Amino acid sequence: MAEHPHAALVRRGFEAFSRGDMDTLRDLMAKDATHHVPGSHPLSGDFKGQDAIIDLYRRLGEETDGTMRVALTAVCVDGRGHAVGVNRFMADRNGKHLDETGCIVFRIVGDKVTDLDECVEDIDKSNDFWS
């Protein structure tokens, strides 16, 4: 049986992110998409529009000196425009190491991601790492 189109879209997005392929990520997102990052650190908040989201991804790479790795472990879909990408996030920053499970809840309209709502395993640990 073929993979659900929304699962395939999420998988393509994670693969593009891992390669640093921002052009593909732009193609997968609506122009007015929003990425919501939880926490109370300098990189948390709502990033609205492709340019703001791509800049966030650039900053994540810079802040971790290229050590950031995200491994997709599962994709779940509801067939109604939602998909969840469960992942393992690993990075080093300022002498700290972060290795935790997280997920992104995607809202998909047509064939474009319109909303990315990120969740982390340990919000306090995440805040400490990024602060």
Side-chain angles (χ1 to χ4, degrees):
M1 183 174 222
E3 183 174 45
H4 190 279
H6 294 163
L9 178 69
V10 168
R11 198 170 305 284
R12 282 195 314 273
F14 271 88
E15 290 167 358
F17 182 87
S18 292
R19 289 190 314 270
D21 183 352
M22 298 301 125
D23 290 335
T24 295
L25 288 174
R26 280 184 192 278
D27 288 343
L28 299 176
M29 285 186 272
K31 290 189 185 314
D32 62 348
T34 303
H35 188 140
H36 309 276
V37 179
S40 58
H41 55 80
L43 294 176
S44 64
D46 297 331
F47 298 84
K48 178 92 169 153
Q50 289 177 344
D51 290 342
I53 294 170
I54 296 301
D55 188 56
L56 166 66
Y57 298 162
R58 178 195 56 77
R59 290 175 61 200
L60 293 172
E62 286 177 357
E63 290 287 330
T64 61
D65 291 324
T67 65
M68 178 180 59
R69 301 288 177 263
V70 180
L72 184 64
T73 58
V75 181
C76 303
V77 299
D78 69 357
R80 298 178 295 112
H82 298 96
V84 178
V86 180
N87 63 81
R88 181 173 173 201
F89 179 91
M90 299 151 283
D92 296 305
R93 180 175 181 270
N94 297 334
K96 299 176 188 175
H97 180 72
L98 185 63
D99 183 346
E100 71 175 351
T101 300
C103 70
I104 300 177
V105 180
F106 296 86
R107 174 74 173 131
I108 301 166
V109 176
D111 62 350
K112 300 286 186 189
V113 173
T114 62
D115 201 67
L116 303 90
D117 208 347
E118 195 173 323
C119 299
V120 296
E121 183 176 28
D122 185 334
I123 193 78
D124 293 330
K125 188 176 180 181
S126 180
N127 283 333
D128 180 63
F129 180 79
W130 292 110
S131 293

